[in-house]
Amino acid sequence: MDKVTTRENLTWNNEFWENPWDQGGLAVISLFIIMIFFLVMFAIVFGLLPLPEKVNECEED
């Protein structure tokens, strides 16, 4: 019984990797997830940085 299910799983797995549309879809989904991850990290890093102090030109004189 295990040999039958393993053979069916291998067939489906090989069919998936041979189809370029499935590979492209996987690449697009992966890039989308990575982009969201980097945007969240960007927001966290720059949200934690302190704001630069503004220099008032009138006070310098």
Side-chain angles (χ1 to χ4, degrees):
M1 187 68 173
D2 290 335
K3 292 180 181 179
V4 174
T5 57
T6 305
R7 191 175 305 142
E8 289 175 3
N9 288 339
L10 287 175
T11 304
W12 177 83
N13 194 13
N14 288 339
E15 288 176 3
F16 177 81
W17 290 111
E18 290 173 359
N19 188 349
W21 286 101
D22 289 339
Q23 292 177 355
L26 186 63
V28 168
I29 292 169
S30 300
L31 288 173
F32 180 75
I33 292 171
I34 291 169
M35 182 186 68
I36 296 297
F37 173 75
F38 279 120
L39 287 174
V40 168
M41 293 303 295
F42 182 83
I44 290 172
V45 168
F46 286 101
L48 294 176
L49 292 177
L51 292 174
E53 295 180 15
K54 293 183 179 179
V55 177
N56 193 350
E57 294 177 5
C58 297
E59 294 178 359
E60 289 183 358
D61 294 336

